[in-house]
Amino acid sequence: QVQLVESGGGLVQAGGSLRLSCAASGRTFSRYFMGWFRQAPGKEREFVAGISGSGGTTACADSVKGRFSISRDNAKSTVYLQMNSLKPEDTAVYYCAAGAKWMSTIPRTYDYWGQGTQVTVSS
């Protein structure tokens, strides 16, 4: 079992930055591929970024490439999402997830989910 708790969301003006954190319980954190997803009202949950267990491989959705970056600290069992140059269309609830499927962008392939943290970007 892995429990995930996100933090760091909030209200920010367009062009601003936020750093989301996701703290995991359990001693097997480094075995999991970690992903960040987001869901805006009336829309499906979408992949934002993912990172391998070692942290050596990352991937970002085209919509956030060059603005967002993902990292992890396995010693702290924490994964981060650094979000820069935020836009109003980045407004959503952001979720972190843990899974075993390599570099998956599909939500149903992830085994564990956090409760989400709201990010609101004002124009």
Side-chain angles (χ1 to χ4, degrees), residues 4 6 26 28 32-33 36 47 49 56 62 68 74-75 79 84 96 108 110 113 115 118-119 123:
L4 304 172
E6 302 98 335
T28 59
Y32 289 95
F33 181 82
W36 282 99
F47 174 82
D62 288 343
F68 291 13
N74 285 342
V79 62
N84 300 326
C96 70
R108 59 178 170 81
Y110 286 77
W113 291 85
Q115 82 289 349
Q118 176 71 47
V119 171
S123 57

Side-chain angles (χ1 to χ4, degrees), residues 36-112:
W36 282 99
F37 290 77
R38 66 186 181 187
Q39 188 165 19
K43 296 188 176 182
E44 293 186 351
R45 193 167 296 190
E46 65 172 354
F47 174 82
V48 175
I51 188 166
S52 63
S54 67
T57 304
T58 63
C60 285
D62 288 343
S63 59
V64 305
K65 202 165 289 183
R67 300 188 297 122
F68 291 13
S69 62
I70 186 171
S71 62
R72 68 191 294 163
D73 184 338
N74 285 342
K76 296 181 179 180
S77 296
T78 302
V79 62
Y80 305 97
L81 184 68
Q82 178 66 45
M83 305 186 295
N84 300 326
S85 302
L86 282 160
K87 304 176 181 180
E89 51 263 43
D90 294 319
T91 295
V93 178
Y94 283 70
Y95 299 89
C96 70
K101 188 169 177 62
W102 177 257
M103 300 300 284
S104 175
T105 63
I106 303 172
R108 59 178 170 81
T109 64
Y110 286 77
D111 301 308
Y112 305 102

